[in-house]
């Protein structure tokens, strides 16, 4: 599954871990907009459509 949202949702545990690290960094430096972006990315579920057998979405 691929996320096509403006702020991409993590699709693997490694991607989620990267976003959590970004969130923690943004919090440590007081980057409010960065915190909001990371939280939007971590909001679940991602309703990305599954491609069909021919790859169409």
């Amino acid at each position: 599954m691929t996320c096509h949202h403006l702020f991409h949702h993590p699709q693997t545990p490694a991607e989620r871990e990267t976003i959590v690290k970004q969130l923690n960094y943004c919090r440590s430096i007081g980057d409010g907009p960065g915190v909001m972006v990371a939280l939007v990315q971590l909001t679940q579920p991602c309703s990305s459509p599954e491609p069909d057998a021919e790859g169409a979405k």
Side-chain angles (χ1 to χ4, degrees), residues 12-44:
T12 65
E15 289 176 357
R16 183 173 181 78
E17 181 179 336
T18 298
I19 294 170
V20 168
K21 287 179 183 178
Q22 290 172 342
L23 172 62
N24 289 334
Y25 175 72
C26 290
R27 289 178 64 213
S28 74
I29 64 169
D31 179 6
V35 168
M36 287 190 288
V37 169
L39 290 175
V40 167
Q41 288 180 289
L42 293 172
T43 302
Q44 295 292 329

Side-chain angles (χ1 to χ4, degrees), residues 50-57:
E50 288 287 338
D52 64 16
E54 297 171 355
K57 295 196 175 35

